[in-house]
Amino acid sequence: MAGREGVFVPTTLPMDANLPWLTSVKQSLSDAVHHDRLGHAVLIQIDPGLGGEWLATWLAARLYCTAETVKPCGQCLDCRRVVTGEQPDMLRLSPIDESKEIRIDQVREMDAELALTSHGGGRKVVIITPAEKLNRNAANALLKTLEEPAGSSLLVLVTGEPSRLPATVLSRCTPVGVPTPPTEALEAWLRTQGNRNKDWRAVLGVIGPRPLVALQVEAEAIVNLQRETIRALDQVLAGNLDPVETAESWGKERFTLRIMSIENWLVSRIREWASGQKVANTEALFAALDDAREARQLAETPVNKPLAIERLLWRLNAASTKRRPG
Ligand SMILES: [Zn+2]
């Protein structure tokens, strides 16, 4: 599966992992499988760092598991095949490394595969993740599949950003939403999973409510990166730091995490202004926040990273001198 800088998703969680925020959605999906109410396409709307891809895999295992007791058992041959990607009736569409997107030839290969009789005589399952990476042609091709589904196939789309999918695709999928749990609940869960003494709150403060990502990153490094970013941004705002030099060094590594830190800092400054605590050139702050969000979305493309950061820092520099952003 294609990795993403700063936001990568473990696929090694066992099928019986206890992710409390998914308990009720698992129950609903399990009931839907039991009563054969699942339909042909399901859209799981959840950030990958909250377990969206794991949930899609769990659903596939729920369909293939041959255990007599609780499904998926995670132990039988069929469950293990799902987890290792060896289940012959199952496909996974993810961005191809270089292109960073899911392309039309992948959807065509999927169609060809779905047209064949299933190996095990049951349903064929396709997991498409992250679904917002379908490029326009691929999404159009997928639309045809969604309109005329082959046999008893099940398409499971996973996305943290449903608004980036065409409305025509969205309307043909059964939506499965997972509300984002409060930070305290995620912290508590992280303490049961890893180091109890890590500053999980600070880590989630940078990467957002993504506990599965939190387990994968070096917590101390993230906390340090955030501290360093905040210190530097305060100086930029005071006009005491050179944006060009700072951007050059920040653009080199950990770009996504750095942008996330900057976003958090900007949101705090805007909150301070909104609550009347501080005077600010809000126009520049909002413009910088827009830039930061755009930069994060472009992080996986060959965007000029130092330049993107430099642009952001100049906005803040404008905020410091009360000049209108240009
Ligand atoms: Zn099983």
Side-chain angles (χ1 to χ4, degrees):
M1 201 174 300
R4 280 175 284 165
E5 187 200 344
V7 182
F8 34 87
V9 181
T11 52
T12 49
L13 273 180
M15 288 293 96
D16 61 355
N18 177 25
L19 309 178
W21 57 93
L22 296 181
T23 303
S24 81
V25 70
K26 276 163 58 186
Q27 189 58 54
S28 318
L29 286 170
S30 198
D31 290 347
V33 171
H34 185 71
H35 298 289
D36 201 15
R37 282 191 275 101
L38 213 47
H40 282 285
V42 172
L43 180 78
I44 298 179
Q45 300 176 23
I46 178 177
D47 190 287
L50 266 171
E53 300 193 358
W54 179 86
L55 184 62
T57 309
W58 179 92
L59 176 59
R62 172 69 184 79
L63 282 161
Y64 291 120
C65 179
T66 46
E68 299 289 333
T69 52
V70 180
K71 295 181 182 189
C73 68
Q75 307 297 323
C76 71
L77 180 64
D78 295 273
C79 278
R80 281 184 280 130
R81 276 180 169 167
V82 167
V83 173
T84 56
E86 289 162 339
Q87 165 55 249
D89 288 323
M90 197 177 146
L91 276 176
R92 191 179 284 262
L93 266 61
S94 279
I96 296 173
D97 276 338
E98 314 84 59
S99 71
K100 310 283 185 196
E101 51 184 23
I102 302 173
R103 300 190 330 205
I104 189 167
D105 44 338
Q106 292 173 271
V107 176
R108 287 191 178 134
E109 278 169 30
M110 175 197 82
D111 282 336
E113 194 64 42
L114 290 180
L116 303 172
T117 317
S118 80
H119 293 81
R123 294 187 89 161
K124 292 200 172 199
V125 177
V126 183
I127 295 177
I128 304 179
T129 178
E132 74 274 8
K133 296 293 176 193
L134 284 158
N135 71 20
R136 187 185 301 196
N137 289 337
N140 282 337
L142 182 71
L143 199 54
K144 293 200 181 71
T145 318
L146 290 170
E147 281 165 350
E148 296 164 33
S152 60
S153 57
L154 172 69
L155 269 54
V156 184
L157 286 73
V158 184
T159 182
E161 297 176 82
S163 63
R164 289 173 69 191
L165 283 166
T168 43
V169 168
L170 293 177
S171 67
R172 282 169 178 81
C173 300
T174 307
V176 176
V178 181
T180 300
T183 306
E184 295 74 29
L186 298 178
E187 275 177 56
W189 182 80
L190 282 164
R191 280 197 296 273
T192 67
Q193 298 298 306
N195 189 334
R196 297 187 66 83
N197 301 319
K198 275 186 191 167
D199 190 350
W200 292 116
R201 174 166 298 221
V203 174
L204 295 174
V206 178
I207 62 173
R210 301 187 169 111
L212 301 189
V213 178
L215 285 179
Q216 298 284 301
V217 296
E218 310 151 57
E220 277 81 30
I222 285 197
V223 172
N224 288 338
L225 178 129
Q226 190 182 29
R227 283 205 196 105
E228 186 214 6
T229 307
I230 290 171
R231 230 181 358 250
L233 289 176
D234 284 337
Q235 292 200 330
V236 170
L237 199 61
N240 295 333
L241 207 68
D242 178 12
V244 180
E245 211 173 286
T246 312
E248 195 56 46
S249 108
W250 286 6
K252 279 185 191 137
E253 53 176 19
R254 298 196 168 239
F255 179 73
T256 306
L257 288 174
R258 186 76 72 178
I259 293 285
M260 285 174 168
S261 278
I262 297 175
E263 279 185 68
N264 291 331
W265 180 87
L266 284 164
V267 169
S268 310
R269 294 294 80 73
I270 290 170
R271 280 205 193 115
E272 281 175 2
W273 162 78
S275 64
Q277 288 174 41
K278 281 196 179 153
V279 185
N281 179 343
T282 48
E283 209 176 320
L285 291 181
F286 277 114
L289 188 58
D290 282 346
D291 282 352
R293 287 180 173 153
E294 192 182 330
R296 181 160 51 85
Q297 287 183 355
L298 294 175
E300 294 161 50
T301 67
V303 64
N304 183 329
K305 296 182 169 81
L307 198 65
I309 290 184
E310 193 184 320
R311 186 180 148 92
L312 249 164
L313 296 180
W314 279 117
R315 295 265 200 207
L316 294 175
N317 199 265
S320 78
T321 55
K322 305 281 193 291
R323 275 189 280 113
R324 296 178 71 79

